[in-house]
Each structure stands twice: as C-alpha cells, then as structure tokens.
Amino acid sequence: MTAPAISSKTAAVILAAGKGTRMRSDLPKVLHPVAGVPLIHHVAAAARASGADHLVAVLSPALVDVGDSLPGIEIAIQDPPRGTGHAVAAALPLLRGQEGGVLILFGDTPLIEAETLGRLRAALDAPNVAVAVLGFRPDQPGAYGRLVTDGEGGLAAIVEAAEANAEQLAIPLCNAGVMAIRAEHLADLVGAIDDTNAKGEFYLTDVVAIARLRGLAVAVVEGAADEVLGVNSRVELAEAEGVMQDRLRRRHMAAGVSFEDPVSVRLALDTELGRDVTVAPHVVFGPKVKVADGVRIHAFSHIEGATVEAGAIVGPFARLRPGAVVGKGAHVGNFVELKNAVLGEGAKANHLTYLGDATVGAGANIGAGTITCNYDGFNKARTEIGEGAFIGSNTALVAPVSVGDGAIVGAGSVVVEPVAADALYLERARPVQKPGWAARFRAAMRDALKSKTKE
Ligand code: UD1
Ligand code: MG
C-alpha cells in the first residue's frame, strides 16, 4: 500500500465569536490593540508567517463589522455561540475542498508565534496523524483542559477541567487551545462532536478522543506558556502588551539597535529600525514607522507613520506624524512637529517648529519658531521651501506659498507670496530706538510714586 500524498497547504481558522464582556468595552475584544495592531491581526500574522494562505475568522453576528478591518480573511458567522467545536463547524462551509492542514487558533491569543504554528503543522505530516494539539505547562493549570497522553508519545484525550477527576486535574500538561487538523478529516471529526458534557457545549477538544476511536493518531507539540496568554480583561491586555514589547525590543536589539532604556520604549509590531539606530528613553513608535541605519532618536520623541532616512537625528521631544519624511542626515530638534512633510537631506529644523503639508529642500535651515500655516479652517495647502533656503526664526509661512532655492527669509516675517530663489524676503516695521528713554521713564515713575506717598 502506498502512503497517501501529503499536501503542504494550510488554512487557519481564528475563533473570535466570544462576547469579550470582561473587557467592559464598546470596542470588540479582538480589535483592542497590542503593539499598535488589533489582537486578531497578530494571530492572523502568525498564521500567515507560518505558511497558512487561507484564513477564516469565526465571528458572532454582533461582530460582523469587525470583518471590515480584516482584509484577506474570510468571515464565518456563528449564531448563537455554542462552544469551540460549534465555532469550527460554522467555518466548515468555507473550508470545503481544503487540502493539507487546518490550524485552529483563538482570536484573543496575540502572542502565538509562527515558529510554534509551523511545528504544530509539521506534526500532521507524520504517518496516520490526524490531529496535533499545542500543549503547555502553566504555573496554575486552573481551568485549562488537561492533556491525557497515551504513554507512546501521542495523545489519548483532552479532558476539560469541568469534567476532570482529581487524577486528571493533577496533570501539568494543558491544552493551549491551538490545534492542527488534517483537512480531509476535519468535517468528519468536528461533525461527530456532541454537547453531552458539564457545560452543554460542543467542545472542540473532543476531536482528540473521536480521532482515536477512528484509529487515527494524535500528536502533541509543546509551546511556551507566554505564547498562549489569552486576553480576557484590560489587565491581561496590558500583560500581553508587556510580553509583546519585550519580544519586539529583543528582536530589534538582536538586529543591531541600541535602546538606552529598553523598558521605556514602545514599539509597534511593524516598526522597522535599521542597524546602529540608537533609541533614547521614552520614545513611542506608533504604526508604520521606518527608520534607516545610523539614526539617533533622542528622548521623549513620538513617531508614527513616518520615515527617517540614514544618519538623521530626531528629538528630544520631536513629534513625527503620518507622512513625515526626515531625509538623510537631517535634524529634527526639540518641540518640532512634522505632518505630511518632507525634510530634505541634511536640512535642519531644530527648535519649536510646525511643518505641515510641506516640502523642505536639501540643506535648508528652518529657524526656531517657524510655522507653516497650512490650514485656513476649510482647506489644507502646501508650503514648498527650496534647497539651501534659510528661514529666519519666528516666520509664519501662509500656505500655499513657496520659497525658492537659496532664498533668505528674515526673522519674524509673515510670508504671503512666492519668494524668488536667492532673494531676501523681509517683512518688518522700521525699528524705533530712543537713547536714555528707559532710564528717564523709571526716574519719572519713581518721582511720581514719592509725591503720592507724601500726600
Ligand atoms: C478552551 C479549551 C481548553 C483550553 C483553553 C485554552 C475547549 C472546549 N476548551 O477553553 O481546553 O485549555 O481554551 O485557553 O475548546 N469561541 C467561539 N465560539 C464559541 C466559544 C468560543 O468563537 O462558541 C472562541 C472564543 O471567542 C475564544 C475561543 O473560542 O477566542 C476560546 O473560547 P473560550 O470560551 O475562552 O474557551 P475556554 O473555556 O477558555
Ligand atoms: Mg478562554
């Protein structure tokens, strides 16, 4: 007899039809963010990175809007929720004809790693294995399902805590909730689950005993406890954030990034940091940030949706908002905000400045207190500043407006018309200076005060 051909295709079903009531939130639980990204996206990203190319999320009708924020993921609706086995059954119509393996994941366990899913998936390739279960050893086994092994390296059954006897409750190896099932057995195994148990639910975990009854083997793969932390409350959300932040920082450090005070830095899942980037304490990275090699980011900077090119210096106290591009070797100093603005190579905006909807040419110098007035209450308009231009301190650039290459704008100007290349633009009242006036003024005031107190 020849062994059946093994398909390496993989689907992933993400169960997320639970109510999430303990979050006490108007936002669906699986959309709460960790590292700037909704919980369910972490799970989907891990599934994709492990090789799954067909993703299905199981949602309750109340969560159907969540589907809009899940590009590339098919949606199955479970109504009403009657257990994890019932949730997988809701996804079966979308898995008809699926080959290979099907990963089953929970939408609220954002810390699961692609490598672990890959090991679980690979366990399905052993002869006769129909199901592979992710086990872990928690400090407190509590309400987790217990993994009953068969003494031959396989799994005999999963017993839910509510059904377990004292001997079974003493088993330290628990069900993480993640499973892989061979696609050709999925409908049969899931279809055989019933609800005759303590909770009257369809337990997905029953597929283990059902597979064994069919003469199929069940493998167990062990994972780390911190990968399967489920988020049910805001406290667990914060714990998951902590684990994820630590993981992301370590990953960046391993790739050549220095953090002067790692625990005070917040990263997003998609933050890209180049080699020899240095990040000072208390820096926050929101989503979609790319930082090239050799950049220094000083303390208390807040960066999102921005690109920082090689060798640039940012902060302290800089704010880079979406669409900000800091060119090669450019400087963005304290209390400088960039939004949808490009600062050219080697340009400097070192103090107290707002550049919004602007382009600043290479080598330009933006003086302290420069403001692009980009918004008139109705529309946004652009400011273009040429290469090597010099904008004096406390200049207001009333957009739309442009300053040509090499032009100089005198301090305190309000720029309301295009400034030609290499021109000087100055808008200043003629100064008045009266020698000795201040001393005479003080003497007169003192005399007036004296005669008043004598009265
Ligand atoms: C489940 C496992 C348990 C395991 C634990 C790990 C079962 C029967 N038990 O228990 O062995 O140790 O996870 O955390 O599977 N969901 C639905 N529809 C439903 C019910 C649940 O989509 O009808 C989703 C939930 O949104 C959640 C996931 O499935 O993402 C897990 O459900 P949950 O109720 O937390 O299962 P546990 O009781 O924790
Ligand atoms: Mg749970």
Side-chain angles (χ1 to χ4, degrees):
M1 207 173 78
T2 52
I6 285 176
S7 166
S8 63
K9 288 186 177 157
T10 307
V13 180
I14 303 172
L15 307 188
K19 288 198 192 72
T21 40
R22 278 177 286 164
M23 294 298 283
R24 302 197 196 290
S25 176
D26 293 336
L27 186 69
K29 174 163 86 174
V30 292
L31 292 189
H32 278 261
V34 159
V37 176
L39 295 177
I40 193 166
H41 286 221
H42 287 267
V43 181
R48 281 202 181 97
S50 80
D53 55 3
H54 178 196
L55 269 57
V56 177
V58 180
L59 305 176
S60 70
L63 295 190
V64 74
D65 293 344
V66 171
D68 299 341
S69 56
L70 301 176
I73 305 182
E74 289 181 57
I75 304 299
I77 298 294
Q78 184 197 17
D79 184 23
R82 298 194 57 202
T84 47
H86 186 250
V88 175
L92 287 176
L94 295 176
L95 293 163
R96 243 175 244 139
Q98 176 70 41
E99 292 174 34
V102 177
L103 292 168
I104 297 165
L105 305 156
F106 293 168
D108 61 2
T109 53
L111 301 169
I112 191 77
E113 298 215 62
E115 185 267 338
T116 305
L117 296 180
R119 280 196 292 135
L120 196 66
R121 172 65 184 82
L124 289 183
D125 293 340
N128 200 37
V129 170
V131 180
V133 172
L134 185 66
F136 75 120
R137 296 172 191 271
D139 294 338
Q140 308 279 341
Y144 289 110
R146 305 300 201 270
L147 299 189
V148 182
T149 45
D150 62 7
E152 292 161 19
L155 205 56
I158 303 177
V159 182
E160 287 302 286
E163 331 281 328
N165 60 34
E167 193 189 335
Q168 291 163 333
L169 283 174
I171 297 173
L173 188 60
C174 291
N175 176 25
V178 182
M179 258 186 215
I181 301 180
R182 284 219 68 87
E184 64 271 25
H185 296 299
L186 183 74
D188 169 48
L189 295 176
V190 170
I193 299 172
D194 65 30
D195 61 355
T196 54
N197 53 51
K199 291 190 185 166
E201 286 185 1
F202 293 84
Y203 292 161
L204 176 64
T205 45
D206 285 354
V207 295
V208 173
I210 296 166
R212 295 304 301 258
L213 280 175
R214 305 253 195 291
L216 299 163
V218 179
V220 55
V221 167
E222 278 200 48
D226 72 5
E227 280 188 51
V228 294
L229 173 73
V231 172
N232 299 296
S233 64
R234 307 270 181 160
V235 170
E236 287 168 349
L237 183 69
E239 279 170 19
E241 182 76 56
V243 174
M244 182 58 76
Q245 289 295 332
D246 188 53
R247 211 185 259 179
L248 292 173
R249 288 186 296 250
R250 283 170 189 278
R251 204 174 286 166
H252 287 297
M253 288 189 266
V257 174
S258 284
F259 294 100
E260 292 171 2
D261 178 29
V263 294
S264 70
V265 174
R266 285 290 176 210
L267 296 155
L269 186 66
D270 61 356
T271 304
E272 291 179 24
L273 302 175
R275 213 177 145 94
D276 288 319
V277 167
T278 305
V279 182
H282 300 286
V283 174
V284 176
F285 294 92
K288 299 194 172 79
V289 174
K290 288 185 182 166
V291 177
D293 295 351
V295 168
R296 286 192 65 83
I297 300 174
H298 292 293
F300 296 101
S301 294
H302 191 283
I303 305 174
E304 63 182 313
T307 301
V308 183
E309 292 173 0
I313 300 177
V314 173
F317 296 100
R319 179 160 186 216
L320 303 181
R321 292 171 53 201
V325 178
V326 180
K328 262 190 199 161
H331 293 192
V332 176
N334 35 263
F335 306 105
V336 173
E337 174 181 348
L338 262 63
K339 187 224 70 175
N340 194 22
V342 179
L343 196 58
E345 183 169 343
K348 292 178 184 165
N350 270 330
H351 337 263
L352 305 164
T353 286
Y354 172 59
L355 297 171
D357 304 304
T359 307
V360 177
N365 195 313
I366 308 298
T370 297
I371 305 291
T372 53
C373 310
N374 62 326
Y375 184 52
D376 60 10
F378 297 94
N379 296 301
K380 300 273 171 67
R382 291 198 66 83
T383 299
E384 311 279 345
I385 296 172
E387 287 185 14
F390 182 98
I391 309 297
S393 295
N394 206 30
T395 292
L397 297 146
V398 183
V401 75
S402 62
V403 175
D405 292 350
I408 294 178
V409 174
S413 297
V414 177
V415 182
V416 295
E417 60 185 37
V419 178
D422 293 320
L424 168 69
Y425 180 101
L426 197 62
E427 191 237 80
R428 190 169 295 170
R430 187 162 289 281
V432 177
Q433 193 168 160
K434 299 185 176 178
W437 189 93
R440 288 198 299 280
F441 169 73
R442 280 192 296 272
M445 292 308 277
R446 273 195 293 267
D447 287 351
L449 207 64
K450 258 186 223 157
S451 52
K452 219 181 192 175
T453 44
K454 272 182 200 156
E455 272 167 20

